[in-house]
Amino acid sequence: MNARAAIVYDATDGQILYAKSADHPYYPASTTKLMTAILLVTHTQPDDPIYLGPKAARQAKVRLGVKPGTTMTSDEALRAILMKSANDVAYAIAETVGGSQEGFARMMNLKARLIGCRNTSFVTPNGLHDDDHRSSAHDIALILAEAIRYPRIINAMQTTHCTVAGKLVQNGNRLIYVKQAPFGEIIGGKTGFTSKAMYCLAFAVRQHGHVRISVVLGAPRKSLMYSETRRLLTWSNKILPSPSRS
């Protein structure tokens, strides 16, 4: 594995099938938005308004790129952060749901602790770099396992293209487009990149009736982020669940 950290986690029975530095905290980049998505769907209804203010509009790229003062629905915002990884929309969610980035970060960290994360400290809602914003491959796997409990999140992850606030949005996760995947039935996931985090990907599939999650953090190239995820999940697809744990 070229990635700094990786894990294959069976979310159905809690078994770790593979781990490399899986509990070491690293910069998680936009895999952070999985937690933002969880808080969005648990605190809003699909048609609730999300207001994008001046601070949100000034977030670094990638952005949806709408003007300050724009309002979109909660489900539109969900698609913007999971499909396009829009940093401005993630910040708008934080301000709308948490009142501020700081308030939302407290909500993120509380939820992380509740689902069993032990090496996570969230500062931003979008994963833009902060020295204190960290998580581990194991914790991101737990967060993705929680995220896919919500049909709204799965639906957004599996959407290939849509329109949000007049902007065409296309899903940037290449694995979503794989036909007849050799690594199981695709559920969905989230990519991430910053210059310090490098390339990150959390991805969930169904194998032998179990949900299996792969996370790679710190892959040096985008191509390796995808190829190592595919390799891990193709490998785990050969492992049958233990009857005693199923």
Side-chain angles (χ1 to χ4, degrees):
M1 293 295 297
N2 291 278
R4 291 169 174 163
I7 194 170
V8 179
Y9 173 69
D10 189 318
T12 301
D13 63 13
Q15 186 176 6
I16 295 173
L17 304 180
Y18 173 85
K20 173 187 175 180
S21 301
D23 288 315
H24 189 285
Y26 288 103
Y27 302 129
S30 285
T31 60
T32 298
K33 295 184 177 81
L34 292 167
M35 180 59 80
T36 302
I38 292 169
L39 294 178
L40 176 65
V41 301
T42 54
H43 288 81
T44 66
Q45 296 300 312
D47 292 327
D48 285 351
I50 302 297
Y51 174 78
L52 194 145
K55 287 185 178 180
R58 291 195 298 268
Q59 293 294 292
K61 293 181 178 180
V62 176
R63 294 188 294 262
L64 182 63
V66 295
K67 294 179 179 179
T70 298
T71 299
M72 64 195 74
T73 69
S74 173
D75 262 10
E76 286 179 317
L78 184 65
R79 285 174 168 78
I81 64 169
L82 293 179
M83 295 170 60
K84 188 178 176 63
S85 203
N87 292 322
D88 50 353
V89 177
Y91 197 95
I93 292 168
E95 290 192 313
T96 301
V97 174
S100 65
Q101 174 174 289
E102 294 76 17
F104 194 73
R106 287 192 290 271
M107 295 171 67
M108 296 172 78
N109 288 316
L110 174 59
K111 183 64 175 179
R113 289 194 294 274
L114 289 173
I115 63 176
C117 297
R118 296 182 178 181
N119 298 288
T120 293
S121 175
F122 287 134
V123 178
T124 74
N126 44 31
L128 288 173
H129 183 75
D130 184 290
D131 285 345
D132 295 325
H133 185 93
R134 294 174 181 263
S135 190
S136 67
H138 191 179
D139 285 0
I140 294 296
L142 294 175
I143 292 168
L144 179 52
E146 175 70 13
I148 60 176
R149 292 180 56 237
Y150 302 96
R152 287 172 62 189
I153 292 179
I154 294 176
N155 182 270
M157 288 176 172
Q158 295 183 349
T159 301
T160 57
H161 60 276
C162 67
T163 301
V164 175
K167 301 281 188 177
L168 181 62
V169 174
Q170 185 167 344
N171 199 319
N173 189 339
R174 294 178 187 174
L175 291 187
I176 288 295
Y177 302 94
V178 175
K179 302 297 183 183
Q180 297 179 335
F183 45 78
E185 178 189 345
I186 290 172
I187 299 173
K190 184 71 192 75
T191 60
F193 171 78
T194 68
S195 60
K196 292 191 177 182
M198 298 195 289
Y199 293 94
C200 306
L201 175 58
F203 204 72
V205 297
R206 191 166 283 105
Q207 298 176 342
H208 312 295
H210 281 219
V211 173
R212 274 55 184 283
I213 292 172
S214 165
V215 179
V216 295
L217 300 180
R221 297 192 301 276
K222 182 183 286 189
S223 60
L224 285 170
M225 172 186 80
Y226 285 116
S227 64
E228 294 195 338
T229 295
R230 292 178 68 128
R231 187 153 57 95
L232 284 171
L233 291 174
T234 299
W235 168 80
S236 68
N237 199 26
K238 299 175 183 177
I239 302 175
L240 294 176
S242 171
S244 64
R245 299 183 64 119
S246 298

